[in-house]
Amino acid sequence: MADVEFPCDQEGVLALLPHRDPFVWVSRIEECAPGEHIVAELDVDPNLPIFQGHFPGHPIFPGVLVMEALAQAACCCIMAESGRETSIGYLAGIDDAKFRETTLPGDTLQLEAEIVSSNRRFCKARVTARKGDKVVAEATQRYILATNAE
């Protein structure tokens, strides 16, 4: 996979993920021990079109996109592992998800993932999103690892 040095900006994120605008939910990576843990961030752009409909007059960043941002951060951690042949991680499950705080336009979320188990085809991570010292969301996520050809 890509040889990315940490910390990195979104250019490094794009070297690790197959995602592209408008569906990249990681702004930068602050620290990463490839295959073990990652701390990344998402700057929630107040100009995102989703805020026009979720919810008009009281915009909130959807919890499902917080989960997606966490999955993307975890997959960056997996893809950064040297010798990794996979090029994509498909979100396969979310267990014990809890949403504790709302995410508003202009917020910056800290995205953390600890890889609990991983092999050539599957990965499991414990993920947490924070806004300052407050937990926004947490869960255990599972991913199927594949190449783009699969």
Side-chain angles (χ1 to χ4, degrees), residues 3 6 28 37 42 72 76 83 87 96 101-102 123 135:
D3 187 24
F6 304 105
R28 72 195 137 274
H37 82 274
L42 168 62
Q72 288 184 18
C76 282
S87 58
D96 303 318
E101 292 284 328
T102 56
C123 181
V135 173

Side-chain angles (χ1 to χ4, degrees), residues 75 78-79 84 86-93 119-124 141-147 150:
C75 285
I78 298 162
M79 299 308 161
R84 174 71 68 180
T86 56
S87 58
I88 193 165
Y90 296 107
L91 185 56
N119 62 37
R120 194 175 75 73
R121 299 286 297 167
F122 300 99
C123 181
K124 182 176 178 181
Q141 295 182 338
R142 291 172 279 119
Y143 322 97
I144 295 173
L145 306 176
T147 63
E150 294 182 72

Side-chain angles (χ1 to χ4, degrees), residues 33-45:
E36 296 176 21
H37 82 274
I38 191 167
V39 178
E41 291 184 334
L42 168 62
D43 298 322
V44 180
D45 182 350

Side-chain angles (χ1 to χ4, degrees), residues 54-127:
H54 196 262
F55 297 96
H58 184 66
I60 295 173
F61 191 68
V64 67
L65 292 180
V66 173
M67 283 295 142
E68 175 65 24
L70 288 163
Q72 288 184 18
C75 285
C76 282
C77 183
I78 298 162
M79 299 308 161
E81 200 171 12
S82 67
R84 174 71 68 180
E85 293 178 18
T86 56
S87 58
I88 193 165
Y90 296 107
L91 185 56
I94 301 173
D95 298 319
D96 303 318
K98 295 195 177 32
F99 298 92
R100 303 190 184 282
E101 292 284 328
T102 56
T103 302
L104 304 174
D107 283 347
T108 295
L109 292 182
Q110 184 178 63
L111 311 168
E112 300 175 32
E114 292 288 333
I115 306 304
V116 175
S117 62
S118 182
N119 62 37
R120 194 175 75 73
R121 299 286 297 167
F122 300 99
C123 181
K124 182 176 178 181
R126 183 76 190 136
V127 297

